[in-house]
Amino acid sequence: MICLILCKTSHNFQMILPFLLTALYPLPERVPVSQPYGLVRHGRTHKGIDLIAPIGTPVKATIEGTVIIAATYGKNGSYGKTVIIENKSQRVLMAHMSEIKVRPGDRVRPDTIVGNVGVTGNTTGSHLHYEKFLKLDGDWVRVDPGL
């Protein structure tokens, strides 16, 4: 998938940059989406996508990078058990897991099993919450994961 992203240059002009978002899938097979990216619910924008899957389904890294968070995460633990992986240009967040199988500092490759789907944090059912970010002008910008 190619997305166009608006960003600032060092001369404070704006330009549109094309990015190829590799849509590697974080679960062993395609599953229904219960909450799409950007959906406004209860006055809040949904920051990722929710993928319905049974408790215990393996969760896979979708980028090569370093695990920076592998713990309960978010305001009052709202994301539950979460893994965040980043490299120089991308970051992914995978949340509500029942089990985490990596530690901060671990290097992972796409398809490395990082945990299992669960119902931890603020959730009403078993699913994987997945967010993706790109680094633009030194800042992390949340993007549609494109799954």
Side-chain angles (χ1 to χ4, degrees):
M1 165 192 317
I2 295 183
C3 290
L4 296 177
I5 298 182
L6 188 65
C7 69
K8 294 188 315 189
T9 66
S10 59
H11 301 293
N12 209 23
F13 294 106
Q14 293 187 339
M15 56 187 261
I16 295 178
L17 298 177
F19 280 92
L20 180 63
L21 297 182
T22 55
L24 294 176
Y25 206 68
L27 298 173
E29 58 188 42
R30 296 277 172 180
V31 297
V33 172
S34 64
Q35 294 287 314
Y37 174 81
L39 177 72
V40 176
R41 202 176 106 181
H42 306 299
R44 295 186 316 192
T45 302
H46 194 239
K47 298 175 182 178
I49 60 170
D50 290 345
L51 302 168
I52 300 171
I55 293 172
T57 302
V59 176
K60 303 183 299 181
T62 56
I63 63 171
E64 183 172 344
T66 302
V67 175
I68 60 167
I69 299 284
T72 299
Y73 184 73
K75 184 177 181 181
N76 299 319
S78 60
Y79 280 98
K81 292 181 181 176
T82 300
V83 171
I84 300 176
I85 303 164
E86 76 177 32
N87 58 35
K88 291 178 182 177
S89 62
Q90 298 178 83
R91 175 187 283 176
V92 293
L93 176 149
M94 295 164 279
H96 303 306
M97 292 192 274
S98 62
E99 182 180 9
I100 295 173
K101 297 184 179 251
V102 292
R103 290 184 244 173
D106 285 356
R107 295 279 304 154
V108 296
R109 301 177 74 79
D111 291 332
T112 300
I113 303 298
V114 298
N116 296 94
V117 171
V119 288
T120 60
N122 295 345
T123 181
T124 58
S126 176
H127 73 280
L128 176 68
H129 176 81
Y130 181 81
E131 296 182 18
K132 186 164 189 169
F133 304 78
L134 295 177
K135 196 165 208 174
L136 298 173
D137 292 332
D139 295 319
W140 290 108
V141 177
R142 185 177 281 113
V143 297
D144 184 339
L147 300 178

